[in-house]
Amino acid sequence: MRSRRMLFRLLRAGAVIYAALAVWAEVAHWRSSKRMLGTKSGTGGSQAVVVLGFRNRGSTANFINRYRVRAGIRSLPRTEDGVLVLSGGSVAGDVAEAVLMETYAREVLGYTGRILLDADSRSTWQNIANCVPLIEHADTIKIVSNSPHAEVAREYLWAQRPDLAGRLVRGDEHRFGEIVPIKIAATLRALLFRWRADVAAHPA
């Protein structure tokens, strides 16, 4: 009886902690999705949607890359003036993330729209630098990943090409209640990234 009570208390505590982390992550992602944007309205004209890849060890797109591709496609306007830019090199596997994402978009989702690839990037900074020639034509630009990562990428575009960053608008990668465990992990990772950046910028 005592062991059952202890198990129940542990489960209840775990549920409370998970719920608190989930709410925290949802709020953090929502706030990130609104930061580092330009002054464009996001309607009309041509659009480029940049989807940032995640390390992929296998020969098919992993869960995170599949989600990002779906979020990228739903971020595109229903016109012929949109281009999906898939960005990511072979960081963790033999095949570039961009290629794996394109295969998923074409063969699994049946996407028939225009796609451009950056299959060389090995960091977020390179993602942005290598995608600049592919998005310069666009009237508005969206960057899709998990929201904290997309915020960092938008920050890098402001640093590299502020003229293009002024065209940044929100993508549709953040929806409440989607991929909550991954949002929690991404928020924790973003905190660690920011902490390391602060330490590097202000060493003791």
Side-chain angles (χ1 to χ4, degrees):
M1 182 66 72
R2 186 174 299 175
S3 61
R4 287 184 179 179
R5 288 178 180 174
M6 181 63 70
L7 178 60
F8 176 75
R9 289 174 182 172
L10 288 174
L11 290 174
R12 184 171 60 183
V16 170
I17 292 171
Y18 178 80
L21 287 173
V23 171
W24 170 66
E26 289 284 10
V27 172
H29 274 66
W30 172 70
R31 293 178 63 188
S32 286
S33 72
K34 300 169 62 178
R35 293 190 183 121
M36 304 304 296
L37 299 174
T39 57
K40 292 282 187 177
S41 65
T43 59
S46 59
Q47 267 192 24
V49 176
V50 178
V51 179
L52 304 178
F54 181 78
R55 359 178 112 244
N56 212 123
R57 291 186 173 84
S59 58
T60 59
N62 60 30
F63 176 83
I64 293 176
N65 282 329
R66 294 197 301 270
Y67 175 79
R68 292 182 183 182
V69 171
R70 294 195 302 272
I73 290 173
R74 75 189 186 200
S75 298
L76 280 166
R78 301 298 181 183
T79 69
E80 296 182 358
D81 293 330
V83 59
L84 191 66
V85 180
L86 306 177
S87 178
S90 51
V91 177
D94 295 329
V95 184
E97 296 154 10
V99 174
L100 295 175
M101 290 192 291
E102 181 188 31
T103 300
Y104 176 71
R106 296 293 195 202
E107 298 183 5
V108 178
L109 300 182
Y111 181 70
T112 58
R114 187 179 175 211
I115 293 179
L116 297 176
L117 299 183
D118 155 39
D120 298 318
S121 296
R122 301 182 63 84
S123 68
T124 305
W125 182 268
Q126 289 181 2
N127 286 137
I128 297 306
N130 291 338
C131 283
V132 161
L134 308 179
I135 63 177
E136 284 180 311
H137 70 282
D139 295 310
T140 55
I141 300 165
K142 299 176 181 178
I143 299 178
V144 170
S145 179
N146 62 69
S147 295
H149 185 214
E151 179 188 354
V152 170
R154 290 193 294 269
E155 185 178 340
Y156 288 170
L157 186 59
W158 277 106
Q160 295 180 24
R161 287 290 301 271
D163 57 317
L164 295 184
R167 309 177 199 174
L168 284 166
V169 297
R170 286 181 71 178
D172 193 18
E173 81 275 2
H174 172 61
R175 292 183 178 179
F176 282 99
E178 282 190 335
I179 59 168
V180 175
I182 291 176
K183 284 180 179 175
I184 294 172
T187 306
L188 291 170
R189 185 177 181 182
L191 277 180
L192 180 61
F193 173 83
R194 293 293 186 183
W195 176 78
R196 286 176 173 171
D198 288 342
V199 170
H202 307 94

